Amino acid sequence: MTATTASLESARVVVVAAAALDGYANALAAAGADVRRPDTAAAALETVRSEPVDCLVSGVDLPDATAVDLLANVRDESPTLPVIVAAADGDETVASELIGAGVTDYLALPESMEGSVEPGEAAVEELLDRTERAISTARRTETRRERARRFDAVFEDTRTATWVLDADGTLQRANRTARDLIDADAGPLVGEPFWTLPWWSAAEGTMADVRRLVETAREGSFGNAVVSRSASLEDPAVIDLSIRPVRNDRGTVTSIVVEGVDVTDRVALERDLRRSEELHRVTLNNMTDTVLITDEAGEYTYVCPNVHFIFGYTAAEIEDLGTIDDLLGADLFDREELAETGVLKNIECTATDKAGREHTLLVNVREVDIQGGTLLYSCRDVTKRKQREEALATLQETARDFLYAETHEEIASHVVDDTTGVLDLDASAVYLFDADATELRPAARSARMRAVHGPLPAVGADGTTLVGHSFVADEPLFVDDVHDDDRLANRATDLRSVAYIPLGDHGVFMAGSTAVGAFDDVTRELADLLAATAEAALDRVSRESRLREQDRTLQRRNEELTDLNRVNETIRAIDRAVVRAETGEEIDHSVCELLSADDRFRFAWIGTVDRRTGTVEPRAWAGEEHGYLDARPFTVGAADGDPTGRTAATGETTVVENVADGLRDEAWRTEALSREYLSAVSIPLVYNDLSHGVLTVYAATRDAFDDTTRAVLDELGETIAAGLSANERKKALLTTSMTRVEFAVDDPTFVLSRLARRADCTIAYHGGVRQTDEGRYVFVTVEDAPIDAVAEAAAGLVAIDEVRRISANGSSGGDGAPGDGDGGVLRLRLTRPFLALELADHGAVFREATADPDGATLVVEVPDGIDLRKVTELVREAFSDVELRSKRTLDRAPDHDRSARVLADVTDRQLEVVRTAYYSGFFESPREHTGEEVAETLDISPPAFYRHVRTVQRKVFGALFEDGGVPLAVRE
């Protein structure tokens, strides 16, 4: 392989118009070149743009451009890329244009080669040689440029000031960093000797150092020096100069390069380091911890200057003592363990100082390699801390003793006994505060306190004494010499340093010494801890005392609650009995038997109030009666009578806490005491303002009926009355025989009579009353008067809150407009109770009422088993002028029983909705009012109205067709 082919190996050559230069391209490939063969100038230009190319060879005439055009475009992309143009002839015009466009080489090929597939060897060699020279020249040029760029990059390094000197040492160039070091323009300085320039201090020594460096470089050697940049600055910079010669190919020095680095910060750091070392030495000389370094034999290689702080010896005296074992003791640590871990911390040991005092030390041992030393010992004196720990241990024992103390005096004694172990003070005392006398009294004192101070009198809780001031101000006092304080009460005392620490609201702790200034920080802290522990113990004793008192109170209350629970159990049993009872008599007897079964109650009975005789007649009793009910009558409202008569008169509970009080004033008390009735209570049996008699209970102890028991029994009375009312209503529903009673009533206050007189019409009530929180609703039928006129009259009555027209005779239908005739149905909301509700509570049914301007007639049905006399009394109490017109016995038909059961299964609201719909003509055909109109009357939504109607219809049909209703065959 020739030199030419060697230089072309791996070269990237683009040959344009490969058809004309095919032989040349093949020769390049054979020489190892990487040949690209685009056919057009555009393809060649794209190759140059997209790939690295070492040379471009082109013919003159290309399919899409001339060689001149291609050359111009290539130069726009790469000014240095070698471009060779091969022509078939030596056209000077073309050659001139190509040279003007920047062609690298122009070659005229022999005529025979143009278009020849196999060019001549000489022509190929010529073209290859020129290609190789062009590539080599371009590569050398690029290398020189790269070196120049590298030098420029180094030269313009912003971190380094660089100067270029001629071989004689005069300035040739300076980079920006160097120029920025001076205020003057660097241009006029070119050609001046480097050592005379303003970069350097005018001091003769600095200029001489720089000149010596330049002379060293001129001789061909490297030089280095550190110089001051300017002596005129307050803080002159320091420059580290490096200088080196630049030689040509013959080894002659042609120039000199100088580099300068500002090392001012480094010099400052070195200065700070020296200062830090000095500070370290000062610290070691003054810190209380001591550092020692030894070799493996224990011989000292370094002794900290402050060794006297712990041991009292100088460094020289320590070395004279012998090895480290003589100072800290042998077998201080395990050498193998140290080798494994590298450091051992907090080894506790004891050492004796020069004065013979024993110190507790914590020693850290570390492996090192410092100037022949291998073991470093750092020693810390923890003697005071050790003493503090021992004091805290004693304080902990004291705190445990406090746990078993039950009085303040015991705690005071423990404090005095343990003061010596905690504070190393043997004179102590504790004052406790007497709130009644408002003074502090000594509760405990040590024997040493008695010896050096004498008696301890009680002192006032004020600021006139040191003890009193500490307590009132709640402020600890640590007095270095109590004889200097005007508040010292006993001037004959031998105490000097005394501490007074308040124990909260309980008193003051006092401890002292005959030495002046005996309290250091540790002693003060321990004294505060001891006082705080004692205060907490005193708080505990006070709290436990209060808790014991609370326990006694709670025990008393628990006993009361136990009694109440027993009463409640009895009440619950009575409630169950009332619910399960089938008759009123069963309720009465169950109540009396369950109450008398409680050993707190001796006797119980229930009586009925007879208004005719003015007495209370017994109807059920249980317990130890012993003829008490026959001993004397129970008169209603008698001033000296049994509490039963008083309750019957007032309708309120009557309690007699002690039957023995006023024994001679009331005869019944003698009868009661003779039967060991010591207290009594009478409870009215009232439900919905309806009285069912009086329950009276007698107890075998005084004050057996407290407020809570009374409240429970009051609720029991209402429960019993409710059960009796329910039983009467149940009896009324189940009986098939009844008495129909008709009354004539002439009472102007009767609401129906008042309305009939005002509207001059007849008002009829045919049953159906509903009671809500808003009032009582009744339906009435109007005759002989326009319905609107009657509604207007009703709206003017105070006894009627609201009037609604349900239907009108002769109405046009669904719009609710009045018709041609008189009468209709109204719904009235009454402000006062209606007799029908009270009669229902007694099992009677207010069947009808008809009122006109002349009076009113009432029809009431009383089932068998219901006291007719009681019903009559209720009617007479409700109206002022009542006459019984007739009374006859009726038998209910089975269908009536079925209707009663249906109505019992229908809610009040459902019954009201259906009754309103009925009176409104909703069930007529055609309907007088639509469901929406009835719903509006009732203030409910139409869906709710229809739901209520369907529910009642389903229940009615269920009673009709099920459970023995209508048989399968239809009845005629």
Side-chain angles (χ1 to χ4, degrees):
M1 180 182 292
T2 65
T4 299
T5 58
S7 62
L8 292 175
E9 187 174 354
S10 300
R12 295 177 292 277
V13 182
V14 177
V15 180
V16 190
L21 300 173
D22 190 54
Y24 167 67
N26 292 335
L28 284 174
D34 183 6
V35 181
R36 298 286 190 275
R37 303 183 184 186
D39 294 332
T40 63
L45 185 61
E46 181 63 28
T47 302
V48 171
R49 289 173 176 171
S50 61
E51 300 180 17
V53 176
D54 292 323
C55 183
L56 185 144
V57 180
S58 173
V60 175
D61 295 320
L62 303 175
D64 56 344
T66 65
V68 176
D69 295 334
L70 174 61
L71 180 59
N73 291 329
V74 169
R75 285 290 173 253
D76 290 339
E77 297 294 330
S78 176
T80 61
L81 177 67
V83 178
I84 300 174
V85 177
D89 53 26
D91 189 337
E92 294 181 358
T93 301
V94 174
S96 177
E97 292 179 353
L98 291 171
I99 292 171
V103 71
T104 303
D105 198 357
Y106 176 75
L107 178 62
L109 297 177
E111 183 68 27
S112 60
M113 186 177 179
E114 181 72 22
S116 175
V117 178
E118 296 293 338
E121 183 177 349
V124 171
E125 281 294 331
E126 177 70 16
L127 188 52
L128 291 178
D129 287 342
R130 293 196 180 190
T131 303
E132 186 275 333
R133 284 196 299 271
I135 292 174
S136 298
T137 300
R139 287 178 175 175
R140 286 194 299 271
T141 301
E142 182 62 28
T143 300
R144 286 194 298 272
R145 288 179 178 176
E146 179 64 25
R147 289 176 179 174
R149 285 193 295 270
R150 292 176 182 174
F151 176 78
D152 289 342
V154 174
F155 184 75
E156 295 299 338
D157 185 3
T158 59
R159 296 171 297 178
T160 306
T162 305
W163 298 267
V164 178
L165 312 180
D166 284 336
D168 61 356
T170 58
L171 180 65
Q172 190 180 48
R173 294 176 62 191
N175 70 354
R176 180 177 296 278
T177 304
R179 294 195 299 271
D180 291 342
L181 292 177
I182 59 174
D183 295 332
D185 184 8
L189 302 178
V190 175
E192 297 294 327
F194 184 62
W195 56 88
T196 64
L197 299 179
W199 278 285
W200 320 120
S201 171
E204 184 176 346
T206 301
M207 296 177 66
D209 289 341
V210 176
R211 184 169 185 173
R212 279 195 298 272
L213 282 175
V214 175
E215 293 297 334
T216 300
R218 292 177 64 186
E219 294 173 359
S221 300
F222 172 83
N224 178 264
V226 178
V227 299
S228 296
R229 186 172 63 82
S230 175
S232 62
L233 299 176
E234 295 181 0
D235 189 11
V238 180
I239 304 297
D240 185 357
L241 292 179
S242 298
I243 192 167
R244 60 176 53 84
V246 178
R247 301 175 185 272
N248 59 15
D249 294 340
R250 294 186 297 275
T252 303
V253 176
T254 59
S255 62
I256 298 171
V257 178
V258 183
E259 294 180 340
V261 178
D262 191 341
V263 295
T264 306
D265 292 340
R266 188 180 71 188
V267 172
L269 289 174
E270 292 175 352
R271 182 176 62 250
D272 293 342
L273 179 60
R274 288 192 296 272
R275 292 175 180 174
S276 177
E277 291 176 349
E278 179 64 22
L279 178 62
H280 180 66
R281 284 192 295 272
V282 173
T283 302
L284 284 177
N285 287 332
N286 292 277
M287 71 178 185
T288 56
D289 287 6
T290 293
V291 176
L292 306 169
I293 301 177
T294 71
D295 56 18
E296 290 295 334
E299 299 290 341
Y300 297 103
T301 60
Y302 174 80
V303 177
C304 183
N306 69 344
V307 69
H308 63 280
F309 280 112
I310 296 179
F311 300 101
Y313 296 104
T314 64
E317 289 173 336
I318 287 289
E319 294 177 352
D320 293 340
L321 286 177
T323 65
I324 193 74
D325 291 344
D326 298 321
L327 182 66
L328 302 180
D331 301 326
L332 180 64
F333 62 93
D334 187 344
R335 190 65 182 83
E336 293 181 358
E337 182 181 359
L338 177 62
E340 181 180 351
T341 61
V343 61
L344 299 176
K345 296 182 178 181
N346 297 330
I347 304 172
E348 185 173 321
C349 68
T350 58
T352 304
D353 65 10
K354 186 176 182 179
R357 294 186 296 266
E358 191 174 78
H359 294 258
T360 301
L361 306 180
L362 284 182
V363 181
N364 294 342
V365 183
R366 183 185 301 273
E367 286 186 334
V368 296
D369 186 8
I370 303 176
Q371 299 178 355
T374 58
L375 299 174
L376 184 147
Y377 298 79
S378 61
C379 305
R380 174 168 296 180
D381 190 350
V382 294
T383 303
K384 288 187 176 181
R385 189 173 78 182
K386 189 69 173 179
Q387 293 172 350
R388 183 174 179 272
E389 289 176 354
E390 293 174 353
L392 290 176
T394 304
L395 185 59
Q396 187 175 10
E397 292 293 333
T398 302
R400 280 197 290 267
D401 293 338
F402 286 163
L403 294 176
Y404 301 100
E406 296 183 357
T407 65
H408 291 178
E409 288 73 16
E410 287 184 58
I411 293 174
S413 297
H414 283 305
V415 172
V416 170
D417 293 341
D418 293 338
T419 299
T420 302
V422 176
L423 302 180
D424 197 22
L425 298 174
D426 51 6
S428 60
V430 173
Y431 286 83
L432 294 179
F433 178 61
D434 186 342
D436 296 332
T438 319
E439 63 181 10
L440 293 159
R441 297 180 178 178
R445 77 198 74 184
S446 65
R448 179 64 176 170
M449 176 64 75
R450 187 178 296 107
V452 299
H453 186 75
L456 292 175
V459 297
D462 51 32
T464 59
T465 64
L466 288 169
V467 175
H469 175 79
S470 175
F471 178 75
V472 173
D474 194 21
E475 175 186 356
L477 299 177
F478 291 91
V479 184
D480 289 333
D481 190 349
V482 293
H483 286 270
D484 295 336
D485 198 304
D486 295 337
R487 292 168 295 187
L488 178 63
N490 181 12
R491 290 288 169 179
T493 180
D494 293 332
L495 291 175
R496 293 293 181 173
S497 300
V498 184
Y500 304 89
I501 306 176
L503 303 175
D505 297 333
H506 307 289
V508 176
F509 166 57
M510 172 183 175
S513 170
T514 55
V516 176
F519 298 110
D520 56 15
D521 293 340
V522 174
T523 305
R524 289 170 184 258
E525 179 184 359
L526 291 173
D528 284 334
L529 285 174
L530 177 59
T533 306
E535 181 182 349
L538 293 168
D539 287 340
R540 177 189 60 80
V541 171
S542 297
R543 186 168 57 253
E544 290 179 352
S545 177
R546 290 193 298 270
L547 288 176
R548 283 193 292 270
E549 180 61 30
Q550 292 175 1
D551 286 342
R552 287 191 290 270
T553 302
L554 287 175
Q555 183 177 0
R556 184 170 57 254
R557 291 181 178 177
N558 284 336
E559 291 174 355
E560 295 173 355
L561 288 175
T562 300
D563 293 340
L564 180 60
N565 286 336
R566 291 169 56 190
V567 173
N568 285 334
E569 290 176 1
T570 302
I571 300 306
R572 284 194 292 270
I574 292 174
D575 289 341
R576 290 192 295 269
V578 169
V579 171
R580 296 171 182 173
E582 297 292 335
T583 63
E585 293 79 5
E586 187 177 348
I587 292 176
D588 292 340
H589 288 289
S590 297
V591 170
C592 295
E593 290 175 358
L594 290 171
L595 285 174
S596 62
D598 188 337
D599 55 7
R600 295 184 60 197
F601 307 134
R602 199 171 186 85
F603 173 53
W605 67 285
I606 295 176
T608 301
V609 179
D610 191 338
R611 300 297 178 185
R612 295 175 302 172
T613 62
T615 59
V616 180
E617 300 296 330
R619 69 171 187 257
W621 58 88
E624 299 181 15
E625 187 263 341
H626 299 302
Y628 180 75
L629 298 178
D630 296 328
R632 57 192 312 278
F634 298 92
T635 305
V636 176
D640 59 347
D642 183 278
T644 304
R646 278 178 269 173
T647 295
T650 62
E652 297 179 356
T653 299
T654 303
V655 178
V656 179
E657 297 176 352
N658 186 3
V659 174
D661 289 343
L663 183 62
R664 294 181 177 81
D665 298 333
E666 299 177 4
W668 74 271
R669 295 178 182 265
T670 303
E671 299 290 342
L673 281 177
S674 66
R675 294 165 176 82
E676 298 182 2
Y677 304 159
L678 301 185
S679 58
V681 61
S682 290
I683 305 144
L685 304 181
V686 178
Y687 177 73
N688 283 346
D689 298 329
L690 181 63
S691 175
H692 290 273
V694 178
L695 167 65
T696 303
V697 182
Y698 302 91
T701 59
R702 289 181 298 179
D703 301 321
F705 305 100
D706 55 18
D707 293 340
T708 305
T709 305
R710 295 178 198 174
V712 172
L713 291 175
D714 283 340
E715 293 181 4
L716 174 63
E718 186 175 352
T719 301
I720 296 171
L724 292 171
S725 294
N727 187 267
E728 290 181 350
R729 289 194 298 271
K730 178 181 177 181
K731 184 186 299 183
L733 290 174
L734 295 179
T735 185
T736 60
S737 178
M738 65 182 63
T739 301
R740 175 170 290 180
V741 184
E742 182 176 323
F743 298 96
V745 176
D746 186 9
D747 188 344
T749 62
F750 184 30
V751 62
L752 298 185
S753 297
R754 293 169 59 188
L755 179 57
R757 283 195 299 273
R758 174 170 291 195
D760 192 20
C761 66
T762 301
I763 304 295
Y765 164 78
H766 296 288
V769 60
R770 176 172 177 257
Q771 180 170 347
T772 66
D773 294 337
E774 299 175 352
R776 298 92 183 161
Y777 294 90
V778 297
F779 289 88
V780 296
T781 302
V782 178
E783 299 177 3
D784 305 329
I787 191 68
D788 288 340
V790 178
E792 183 178 355
L797 294 178
V798 177
I800 299 176
D801 276 345
E802 179 186 275
V803 181
R804 286 208 177 182
R805 193 187 67 182
I806 302 302
S807 66
N809 294 336
S811 66
S812 60
D815 59 357
D820 297 334
D822 294 336
V825 177
L826 296 176
R827 189 186 71 170
L828 309 178
R829 188 175 75 187
L830 307 179
T831 59
R832 299 180 59 186
F834 195 61
L835 180 61
L837 295 173
E838 188 172 359
L839 290 173
D841 287 333
H842 278 272
V845 179
F846 192 171
R847 183 62 63 189
E848 329 180 334
T850 302
D852 56 27
D854 297 328
T857 301
L858 308 182
V859 177
V860 179
E861 294 181 354
V862 182
D864 281 358
I866 302 300
D867 190 351
L868 179 60
R869 183 179 58 182
K870 183 187 298 184
V871 173
T872 303
E873 290 178 357
L874 287 174
V875 176
R876 294 184 185 280
E877 290 175 359
F879 303 109
S880 59
D881 188 356
V882 178
E883 177 186 354
L884 179 60
R885 283 188 175 179
S886 65
K887 180 174 64 174
R888 60 187 178 128
T889 301
L890 302 174
D891 288 328
R892 281 184 182 170
D895 289 342
H896 185 275
D897 295 338
R898 185 180 298 112
S899 300
R901 288 197 299 272
V902 171
L903 293 179
D905 195 29
V906 174
T907 66
D908 292 342
R909 186 58 168 169
Q910 293 169 352
L911 188 59
E912 179 188 14
V913 170
V914 175
R915 182 178 283 116
T916 304
Y918 175 79
Y919 288 124
S920 299
F922 174 77
F923 298 107
E924 300 294 334
S925 181
R927 289 176 175 168
E928 297 178 6
H929 289 82
T930 65
E932 287 72 14
E933 292 171 340
V934 179
E936 183 179 359
T937 301
L938 293 166
D939 290 331
I940 62 176
S941 65
F945 167 76
Y946 288 114
R947 185 170 61 252
H948 285 312
V949 171
R950 286 194 297 269
T951 299
V952 176
Q953 288 174 337
R954 184 175 62 253
K955 291 179 180 180
V956 171
F957 290 141
L960 182 62
F961 297 117
E962 298 175 2
D963 299 330
V966 177
L968 293 178
V970 178
R971 294 181 178 177
E972 293 294 335

